């Protein structure tokens, strides 16, 4: 490979590939951002919950509860059925290390403003784990 083609290959690997959106999608109307950078209709809620189900802190969150081993319900102040739910295992404070494991989040059946959370060991067994939950609406 010549020096110029090597440099060209390296340069193209550092760039994003061309947009794959159709030309009419690229120029489509969108909801304008506010001065804070978010669309005026955007809402972000969060909750930090202990392994025992206690709510430590949050925004837009009403309550949290441990339902059984590794299963929790988190209730927010707004309908979150059309939202994205993002969960991660993590301690509620700033001391210690979180045990390894897995987390699954989904809307709470029958509760429009709720999220159902399940936590597991790395082997997939239900286990109580502290977690952080974000809801993007």
């Amino acid at each position: 490979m010549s020096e110029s083609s090597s440099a060209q290959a390296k340069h193209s690997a550092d760039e994003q590939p061309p947009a794959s959106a159709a030309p009419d999608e690229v120029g489509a109307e969108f909801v304008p951002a506010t001065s804070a950078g978010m669309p005026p209709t955007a809402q972000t809620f969060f909750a930090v919950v202990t392994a025992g189900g206690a709510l430590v802190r949050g925004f837009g969150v009403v309550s949290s509860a441990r339902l059984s081993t590794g299963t929790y319900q988190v209730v927010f102040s707004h309908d979150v059925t059309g939202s994205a739910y993002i969960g991660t295992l993590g301690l509620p404070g700033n001391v210690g290390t979180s045990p390894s494991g897995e987390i699954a989040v989904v809307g709470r059946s029958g509760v429009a403003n709720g999220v159902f959370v399940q936590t597991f060991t790395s082997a997939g067994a239900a286990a109580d784990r502290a977690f952080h939950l974000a809801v993007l609406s």
Side-chain angles (χ1 to χ4, degrees), residues 16-136:
Q16 291 185 7
S20 61
D24 58 332
E25 291 174 336
V26 173
E29 291 291 321
F30 57 90
V31 177
T34 65
S35 60
M38 298 289 287
T41 57
Q43 298 179 36
T44 301
F45 307 115
F46 76 90
V48 177
V49 179
T50 68
L55 178 63
V56 176
R57 63 185 175 277
F59 179 78
V61 62
V62 174
S63 67
S64 66
R66 178 183 171 272
L67 305 175
S68 63
T69 301
T71 61
Y72 305 86
Q73 171 179 288
V74 181
V75 178
F76 292 90
S77 58
H78 291 77
D79 183 331
V80 296
T81 54
S83 302
Y85 317 113
I86 303 167
T88 187
L89 298 180
L91 296 178
N94 57 2
V95 176
T97 58
S98 183
S100 62
E102 300 173 15
I103 187 169
V105 294
V106 66
R108 181 74 165 118
S109 179
V111 182
N113 57 333
V115 178
F116 183 70
V117 178
Q118 296 173 285
T119 59
F120 308 91
T121 65
S122 294
D128 293 337
R129 298 283 193 259
F131 60 90
H132 297 229
L133 173 66
V135 176
L136 309 174

